[in-house]
Amino acid sequence: MSEASSLQDFFDGKIAAEEKIEPKDWMPEAYRKNLIRQMSQHAHSEVIGMQPEGNWLSRAPTLERKSVLLAKIQDEAGHGLYLYSATETLGASREELIDALHEGRAKYASIFNYPSLTWADIGAIGWLVDGAAIVNQISLQRTSYGPYARAMVRICKEESFHQRQGYQIMVALCAGDDAQKAMAQDALDRWWWPSLMMFGPHDGESAHSAQSMVWKIKRAGNDELRQKFVDQTVPQADIIGLRIPDADLKWNETRGHYDFGAIDWEEFSRVISGNGPCNRQRLATHRQAHDNGAWVRAAVQAYTARQGEQADE
Ligand code: FAQ
């Protein structure tokens, strides 16, 4: 048996036995590349996702709401850092990944290209966007690459707090006056469909799903996860008296799931190809923050080099 085929057999055996692939293990080049693609997109999403919420930090209605939101946004930065570090274990440097983002070569979740117009949007983001992220990430806790799976376990714990704080904002608004309830409904109307798009194209249209499932990078298809999200979210809307903006939404007794209407895939394509409402603004803000932080990176490098010199003396 050649060395290459025994390495491949070893890799396949680990995948079949549900063992994690670790950074020093041999892995097919296409597996490594696909992971770098998905994990770096995920990292970029966490960090770009700070922007719509950051927009409301200085306008949160109470000091308590402000400190909770601040903690949540800091968590998202932390998630980005775990994920960039996990991606670095595959041999991709942070600089390369950030360059790809800035040059428009890397994607991030489409949802973060929509504006957060009112305080209720902060509720909707936590409730729906974090809610969708958790459904996806719970399944990724069992992904085959060890550093990614372990990052997901930690991230899911924090996301569940995020989802609850968002829903709690919606609960409070729905218990308020007519204008507050209308603001909550308007936020749901605008964020519902983009949240369904977060799960990606239908399985039959998904470029990466089939191979990612064989490698156990993905543990469930885009449609299965989207359905799970709809099934768990509709009753949450009912409880607080909000209406899901979908005339075709109805419980299907036979399937044991909600049926729902068609997603506007043209809008999805527009947004992921850089032409959503806020794509340019999101990237410009990220570039500016990155440039403003250049002195911090230089200082850390100088400090680390100095520590190294002192250790050698
Ligand atoms: N947006 O073949 P597939 C969060 C792209 S974290 C943009 O199905 P795949 C926390 C896809 O990349 C949210 N692009 O792809 C938070 C591919 O393009 P490529 C992020 C999308 O990878 C909350 C092409 O379409 N979560 O929210 C999207 O098998 C609140 C074909 O698609 C993750 O990233 C989209 N929605 O499945 C932070 C989870 N969907 O690369 C702040 C990890 C698809 O060929 C505030 N990622 N595309 O050019 C995944 O599970 C997968 O990557 C999917 C897509 C399911 C997103």
Side-chain angles (χ1 to χ4, degrees), residues 37 41 107-108 110 136 197-198 200 206-208 218 222:
R37 179 195 64 81
Q41 288 182 4
K107 293 193 171 73
Y108 56 86
S110 46
N136 170 280
M197 293 175 197
M198 280 180 76
S206 162
H208 303 288
K218 280 170 92 163
N222 298 354

Side-chain angles (χ1 to χ4, degrees), residues 37-38 41-42 45-46 49-50 53 72 76 107-110 112 125 129-130 133 136-137 140 148 159 197-201 206-209 212 218 222 268 272:
R37 179 195 64 81
Q38 176 169 327
Q41 288 182 4
H42 194 165
S45 305
E46 298 281 357
M50 296 163 74
E53 294 184 313
K72 176 187 191 297
E76 309 299 359
K107 293 193 171 73
Y108 56 86
S110 46
F112 300 121
I125 292 173
V129 179
D130 285 282
N136 170 280
Q137 291 173 163
L140 287 173
Y148 194 21
E159 299 287 26
M197 293 175 197
M198 280 180 76
F199 295 93
S206 162
H208 303 288
S209 278
S212 290
K218 280 170 92 163
N222 298 354
F268 174 75
I272 67 170

Side-chain angles (χ1 to χ4, degrees), residues 124-181:
I125 292 173
W127 174 32
L128 304 174
V129 179
D130 285 282
I134 297 172
V135 168
N136 170 280
Q137 291 173 163
I138 284 177
S139 87
L140 287 173
Q141 289 179 347
R142 293 192 306 116
T143 192
S144 55
Y145 188 55
Y148 194 21
R150 291 189 285 275
M152 285 298 107
V153 171
R154 190 159 171 185
I155 289 175
C156 278
K157 290 194 177 131
E158 293 177 350
E159 299 287 26
S160 94
F161 148 72
H162 296 171
Q163 195 270 353
R164 280 177 211 183
Q165 71 83 38
Y167 189 60
Q168 211 273 330
I169 291 174
M170 298 306 258
V171 169
L173 288 171
C174 290
D177 61 23
D178 287 351
Q180 287 168 319
K181 193 157 181 190

Side-chain angles (χ1 to χ4, degrees), residues 242-293:
L242 292 180
R243 182 188 37 80
I244 303 281
D246 178 354
D248 296 322
L249 183 83
K250 59 172 182 313
W251 178 252
N252 182 325
E253 199 62 55
T254 320
R255 289 200 314 121
H257 293 290
Y258 282 94
D259 290 336
F260 53 95
I263 291 170
D264 181 348
W265 294 112
E266 276 178 25
E267 175 179 328
F268 174 75
S269 302
R270 246 190 341 268
V271 176
I272 67 170
S273 58
N275 296 309
C278 301
N279 296 57
R280 284 172 194 79
Q281 182 190 335
R282 298 293 183 239
L283 279 186
T285 302
H286 193 279
R287 278 193 208 101
Q288 191 186 24
H290 190 70
D291 291 347
N292 290 345

